[in-house]
Amino acid sequence: MIPIHWYLTLSAMLFVVGVLGFFLKRNIIALLLSIEIMLNAVNLTFVAFSSALGEVGGQVFVFFTMVVAAAEAAVGLALVISIYRNRETLNIDRANLLKW
Amino acid sequence: MIVETLFFLFGAIALGGAINVVVQRQVLYSALSLIVMLASISGLFVLLRAEMLAMVQIIVYTGAIMVLFVFVIMLLNVNDDDDNTDTLRWPKFIGIPGVLFLLAMLSSSMWQVRIDPSLSAVDTGSAEAIGISLFTDYLLPFEATSVLILIAIVGALVLAKRDL
């Protein structure tokens, strides 16, 4: 049986990789992929605690996280298509209409 | 022993896949690498005895969400315009040390978590246990997510339609 802190440390590393990707990438779709990495790291934490504590609630929360991730992907990709139609680029720095 | 081996295998694949998502310049390769990472996370769910969630992870994430991503990437057919010259440089110089600090803080605090192993004897991962909990204790949030999905569908249609 693997101790829980191994899983938690792995998910912390995955989360940090997601944050790093969000900082470094400029493509809008790559930013959405980085968000998916972060969501999955948090899901892993939820499931590890749920399994270690014998509590079902953590796994139910992972279901809700997946629903929110699906909704976020649908709306986010619709925004990506809309931005590409107006700007002809996927670079996040080109979408600067609200920037002063 | 076999469980430890599988943990390190799936953990290494997940971490390598996640790093590859960030490193790749072509966004399609990033998406494919993310699929590998999601599949190995589902393997970790099996090791945690969350079989139901492992199945849902494969079906919903790698089956539905990533297909949507790959579909949009191929629809737009954009090569990498990742390296533009006039992007700001100073956020990287501040952000990368900040991210490394976050890594040190998170992993050192997570490494100190200890939970009594006898607590994990309860069955939490089967479809029956999750279903009972989902339709009794979490019934209202469950119904609220159906409204959320409906709003997301309508919002995606409105945003992506050319002229409404």
Side-chain angles (χ1 to χ4, degrees):
Chain A
M1 195 60 206
I2 297 174
I4 180 180
H5 56 274
W6 289 11
Y7 286 105
L8 296 179
T9 309
L10 174 66
S11 88
M13 289 175 185
L14 285 175
F15 186 85
V16 170
V17 171
V19 174
L20 200 60
F22 200 85
F23 269 110
L24 293 179
K25 306 294 271 188
R26 296 264 63 88
N27 192 309
I28 303 176
I29 296 177
L31 295 187
L32 287 174
L33 294 177
S34 301
I35 293 175
E36 297 292 331
I37 295 178
M38 288 191 266
L39 284 170
N40 268 278
V42 175
N43 279 355
L44 187 59
T45 311
F46 265 127
V47 176
F49 270 120
S50 154
S51 163
L53 292 170
E55 179 70 43
V56 189
Q59 304 201 6
V60 176
F61 260 81
V62 174
F63 268 109
F64 293 139
T65 313
M66 283 177 181
V67 171
V68 172
E72 171 247 320
V75 175
L77 288 171
L79 278 172
V80 168
I81 292 175
S82 175
I83 288 173
Y84 185 72
R85 196 172 283 149
N86 287 319
R87 302 260 150 175
E88 294 291 319
T89 178
L90 286 184
N91 193 322
I92 193 74
D93 291 332
R94 294 273 91 78
N96 53 3
L97 198 62
L98 287 178
K99 222 179 193 176
W100 54 276
Chain B
M1 191 59 214
I2 182 77
V3 179
E4 279 84 358
T5 313
L6 283 175
F7 171 79
F8 281 111
L9 183 69
F10 284 130
I13 294 174
L15 202 54
I19 290 171
N20 197 28
V21 170
V22 179
V23 169
Q24 287 292 338
R25 304 198 73 85
Q26 289 279 347
V27 72
L28 181 62
Y29 296 157
S30 289
L32 294 179
S33 175
L34 188 64
I35 291 175
V36 172
M37 184 208 129
L38 295 172
S40 60
I41 292 250
S42 134
L44 289 173
F45 284 175
V46 173
L47 291 183
L48 285 165
R49 289 172 302 142
E51 301 91 4
M52 173 73 183
L53 276 183
M55 292 301 141
V56 173
Q57 171 94 359
I58 293 284
I59 293 170
V60 173
Y61 256 116
T62 54
I65 296 181
M66 290 315 294
V67 165
L68 197 61
F69 270 100
V70 173
F71 191 77
V72 169
I73 291 167
M74 291 186 166
L75 179 74
L76 296 184
N77 193 20
V78 176
N79 296 325
D80 54 336
D81 49 357
D82 221 17
D83 46 351
N84 251 325
T85 49
D86 56 345
T87 55
L88 288 177
R89 287 290 161 204
W90 61 267
K92 292 188 180 179
F93 291 119
I94 299 174
I96 290 175
V99 165
L100 293 178
F101 180 69
L102 180 68
L103 173 66
M105 292 296 285
L106 270 181
S107 49
S108 64
S109 58
M110 288 301 192
W111 188 252
Q112 287 162 8
V113 173
R114 294 291 183 276
I115 291 175
D116 185 12
S118 65
L119 285 172
S120 64
V122 188
D123 165 41
T124 53
S126 68
E128 184 189 1
I130 293 177
I132 287 172
S133 179
L134 194 61
F135 289 105
T136 53
D137 294 341
Y138 296 94
L139 186 60
L140 186 63
F142 180 75
E143 296 295 338
T145 52
S146 66
V147 180
L148 174 73
I149 286 287
L150 180 66
I151 294 170
I153 294 170
V154 175
L157 272 177
V158 169
L159 286 171
K161 204 158 161 53
R162 194 176 288 273
D163 44 3
L164 198 66

